[in-house]
């Protein structure tokens, strides 16, 4: 993938130059507390805090985050449990929390303008829902997302299977990038270039909120690795030098275990993958874990260092099979076909779009900060007339065409869909997902059963594209 935007001047390398090296990845906190009567209670405080993203040689970074941590605390539950999560807003502006990928009732979906009033500063809102699916999910603000998520308002949400597959370790890597200045402070938001091009790219890549240099493993170990891309705009293309990881789930949903295409686990913003990583190296060896989604720009995320200890087992165990989540398969013969076209951005032929019911030319759109359109409409608010009205229980195939030169990870709220095809090629295993990555000028076909009533956003997860109008509503009645 090529990236059509300039790189800010502070590079991760530049930051790393001052570091002595070798900090071990900090483990995220364990489950917060046990469920009582099947209800798991959590409190999240949306607040400002100073956290050290880039090491002790640099000042702490002022972030907005949940409960003092960026990423926020890992929320963990068992499939089928009820979660009650109180969110206290200690920010100076309204917020709301969306549970990305969870198929829950629309009034818990966290989208102001559709499902709830924003939580005003000083106020609280309690989310209360049952988690139907096991897997790796995440939560994030759904107000001014470019800035609120970009400043750190996100965290992982893990739902354990009734019978989790046996592994030696269950690891989570929350992948992010930050645009920091030389004092390690977050650069201002709202650049027109970020909106009209590929979104806001950072210059500092973090895993679990740190520049993590070492991933310590033991020979023979089997690790379940959960990857979550929470970046505003950056795709992550992860390579494990000398290893053969197998994908066992996308966006939380089990898939037949397989090698990622080209050995690269490619995740657009919002997307997740669960991997089985067998540590097949020898004691004392070191391998690199590399991010290489963009031509000519590679980052070493980790040095994967093997302890000197003898292997914990001689040969990897057979790969596990996960129990599928309770999803209804779309009936492709009866499915109604819907067409979605994505237009806009720099270097496109966008002539104009409907904005707030009015046809505007490109200059007028730009004056309103809008550069993108879905089926000729540039969003002005989430409370828009629906793009499509779907019949509850009906099967739908959505054919998406990207007429732009940028990639777009398109996310549907409240549902999971099968990815049938991308760029005219049928996708192996037709995995379930909640976000599908459209290549520049590419296409995708997804299919799902519209089984969750309500108004659901269908939007690009490049958050600056959302600001620029790339949002629509699917209504299920
Ligand atoms: Cu994670 Cu509306 O999105
Ligand atoms: Cu986009």
């Amino acid at each position: 993938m090529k990236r059509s935007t300039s790189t800010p001047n502070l590079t991760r390398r530049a930051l790393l130059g001052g570091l002595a090296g070798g900090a071990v990845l900090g483990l995220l906190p364990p489950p917060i507390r046990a469920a009582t009567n099947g209800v798991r209670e959590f409190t999240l405080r949306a607040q400002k805090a100073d956290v050290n993203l880039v090491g002790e040689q640099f000042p702490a970074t002022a972030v907005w985050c949940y409960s003092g941590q960026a990423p926020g605390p890992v929320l963990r539950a068992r499939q089928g449990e009820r979660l009650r999560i109180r969110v206290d807003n200690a920010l100076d502006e309204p917020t709301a929390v969306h549970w990305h990928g969870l198929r829950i009732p629309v009034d818990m979906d966290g989208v102001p303008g559709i499902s709830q009033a924003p939580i005003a500063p000083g106020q609280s809102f309690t989310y209360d829902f049952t988690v139907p699916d096991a897997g790796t999910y995440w939560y994030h603000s759904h107000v001014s997302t470019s800035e609120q998520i970009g400043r750190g308002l996100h965290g992982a949400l893990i739902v354990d299977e009734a019978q989790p597959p046996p592994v030696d370790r269950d690891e989570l890597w929350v992948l992010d990038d930050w645009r920091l200045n030389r004092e390690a402070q977050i650069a201002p938001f709202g650049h027109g270039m970020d909106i009209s091009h590929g979104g806001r790219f950072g210059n500092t890549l973090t895993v679990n909120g740190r520049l993590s240099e070492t991933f310590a493993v033991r020979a023979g170990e089997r690790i379940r690795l959960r990857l979550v891309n929470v970046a505003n705009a950056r795709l992550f293309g992860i390579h494990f030098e000398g290893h053969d990881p197998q994908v066992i789930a996308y966006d939380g949903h089990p898939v037949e275990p397989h090698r990622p295409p080209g050995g690269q686990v490619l995740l657009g913003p919002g997307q997740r993958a669960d991997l089985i990583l067998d540590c097949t190296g020898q004691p004392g060896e070191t391998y690199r874990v590399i991010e290489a989604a963009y031509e000519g720009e590679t980052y070493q995320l980790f040095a994967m260092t093997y302890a000197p200890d003898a292997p914990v087992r001689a040969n990897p165990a057979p790969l596990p099979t996960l129990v599928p989540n309770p999803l209804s398969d779309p009936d492709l013969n009866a499915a109604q076909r819907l067409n979605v076209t994505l237009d806009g951005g720099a270097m496109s032929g966008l002539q104009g779009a409907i904005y707030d019911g009015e046809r505007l030319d490109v200059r007028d759109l730009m004056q309103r900060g809008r550069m993108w359109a879905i089926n000729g409409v540039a969003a002005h608010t989430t409370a828009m007339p629906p793009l499509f009205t779907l019949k509850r229980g009906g099967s739908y195939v959505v054919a998406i065409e990207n007429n732009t030169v940028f990639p777009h990870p398109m996310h549907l709220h409240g549902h999971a869909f099968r990815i049938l095809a991308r760029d005219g090629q049928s996708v192996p295993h037709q995995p379930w997902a909640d976000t599908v990555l459209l290549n520049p000028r590419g296409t995708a076909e997804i299919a799902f059963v519209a089984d969750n009533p309500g108004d659901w956003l269908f939007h690009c997860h490049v958050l600056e594209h959302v600001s620029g109008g790339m949002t629509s509503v699917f209504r299920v009645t």
Side-chain angles (χ1 to χ4, degrees):
M1 191 86 54
K2 277 216 175 61
R3 177 150 83 75
S4 313
T5 184
S6 59
T7 309
N9 53 7
L10 182 70
T11 64
R12 179 169 184 273
R13 278 300 127 208
L15 277 172
L16 280 178
L19 290 177
V24 174
L25 169 67
L27 286 178
L28 289 161
I32 294 186
R33 73 172 83 130
T36 16
N37 308 323
V39 181
R40 248 172 231 274
E41 311 234 11
F42 300 95
T43 303
L44 293 174
R45 184 179 156 85
Q47 61 169 97
K48 297 183 178 178
D50 293 328
V51 300
N52 204 301
L53 298 173
V54 289
E56 305 306 325
Q57 286 87 342
F58 290 91
T61 304
V63 302
W64 301 356
C65 64
Y66 295 111
S67 303
Q69 309 170 36
V74 179
L75 305 184
R76 196 153 192 157
R78 283 225 173 80
Q79 188 171 14
E81 277 179 343
R82 184 167 160 198
L83 272 61
R84 210 182 279 141
I85 307 162
R86 198 186 78 212
V87 176
D88 300 332
N89 183 6
L91 300 169
D92 303 329
E93 58 180 76
T95 194
V97 182
H98 170 59
W99 315 93
H100 182 123
L102 295 187
R103 300 184 301 126
I104 56 179
V106 74
D107 55 344
M108 292 294 128
D109 196 47
V111 180
I114 292 189
S115 47
Q116 67 171 104
I119 311 169
Q123 299 296 300
S124 300
F125 184 88
T126 300
Y127 295 89
D128 187 337
F129 52 79
T130 297
V131 284
D133 301 321
T136 305
Y137 301 92
W138 64 300
Y139 62 95
H140 61 74
S141 161
H142 221 295
V143 173
S144 308
T145 51
S146 167
E147 176 161 16
Q148 290 200 2
I149 298 177
R151 287 192 186 276
L153 285 162
H154 54 73
L157 193 158
I158 295 176
V159 183
D160 285 309
E161 300 84 3
Q163 301 273 309
V167 292
D168 298 308
R169 269 201 286 162
D170 189 325
E171 286 281 338
L172 169 68
W173 289 0
V174 177
L175 308 168
D176 202 355
D177 73 341
W178 306 76
R179 189 180 291 179
L180 301 181
N181 65 21
R182 290 182 184 277
E183 285 73 51
Q185 300 310 304
I186 297 174
F189 287 79
H191 281 296
M193 273 283 280
D194 295 337
I195 296 175
S196 59
H197 289 67
R200 177 184 171 99
F201 279 77
N203 48 26
T204 306
L205 272 60
T206 58
V207 179
N208 299 337
R210 307 237 188 125
L211 288 179
S212 300
E213 292 295 279
T214 301
F215 178 47
V217 300
R218 177 144 180 211
E221 255 195 314
R222 168 164 287 179
I223 299 171
R224 178 180 188 165
L225 191 53
R226 302 169 187 267
L227 306 178
V228 186
N229 182 350
V230 303
N232 283 36
R234 181 183 290 276
L235 314 181
F236 278 82
I238 312 289
H239 294 257
F240 297 82
E241 197 180 71
H243 290 75
D244 186 23
Q246 305 282 318
V247 180
I248 57 166
Y250 287 116
D251 291 357
H253 301 290
V255 62
E256 199 177 304
H258 64 276
R259 293 199 168 92
Q264 168 172 266
V265 186
L266 182 66
L267 297 177
Q271 295 187 302
R272 290 90 64 212
D274 286 36
L275 311 178
I276 290 289
L277 178 64
D278 284 315
C279 298
T280 47
Q282 298 302 310
E285 287 185 335
T286 298
Y287 295 88
R288 295 179 305 163
V289 181
I290 286 169
E291 192 296 294
Y294 300 93
E295 276 173 44
E297 240 187 285
T298 57
Y299 298 92
Q300 178 172 321
L301 282 187
F302 288 111
M304 190 172 166
T305 56
Y306 278 77
D309 312 69
V312 293
R313 60 180 64 78
N315 293 303
L319 285 169
T321 335
L322 297 174
V323 179
N325 284 320
L327 292 153
S328 324
D329 243 312
D331 177 351
L332 295 181
N333 295 317
Q336 193 186 325
R337 202 177 165 86
L338 308 170
N339 292 301
V340 170
T341 54
L342 312 176
D343 287 287
M347 298 162 278
S348 83
L350 186 70
Q351 300 293 310
I354 307 288
Y355 177 79
D356 201 2
E358 223 190 312
R359 171 106 206 151
L360 299 184
D361 65 21
V362 167
R363 185 178 314 179
D364 289 340
L365 283 174
M366 276 175 70
Q367 262 165 23
R368 289 161 180 80
R370 299 308 193 275
M371 287 291 293
W372 302 93
I374 299 180
N375 286 10
V377 179
H380 66 288
T381 161
T382 51
M384 288 186 305
L387 179 64
F388 298 119
T389 299
L390 315 181
K391 258 211 215 74
R392 186 175 180 182
S395 289
Y396 294 87
V397 170
V398 186
I400 311 164
E401 197 179 312
N402 178 8
N403 295 330
T404 84
V405 299
F406 297 94
H408 303 285
M410 298 301 296
H411 170 50
L412 177 62
H413 284 215
H415 294 80
F417 48 75
R418 277 193 184 279
I419 302 178
L420 304 180
R422 287 177 72 220
D423 299 334
Q425 309 260 14
S426 100
V427 172
H429 316 295
Q430 308 204 319
W432 289 102
D434 55 55
T435 305
V436 60
L437 184 61
L438 274 285
N439 283 321
R441 300 236 174 253
T443 61
E445 267 188 23
I446 60 173
F448 68 106
V449 178
D451 53 7
N452 199 355
D455 278 5
W456 301 103
L457 290 187
F458 178 66
H459 67 84
C460 179
H461 224 288
V462 171
L463 304 173
E464 294 67 36
H465 293 176
V466 173
S467 323
M470 215 170 198
T471 294
S472 63
V473 172
F474 285 19
R475 176 169 292 167
V476 179
T477 57

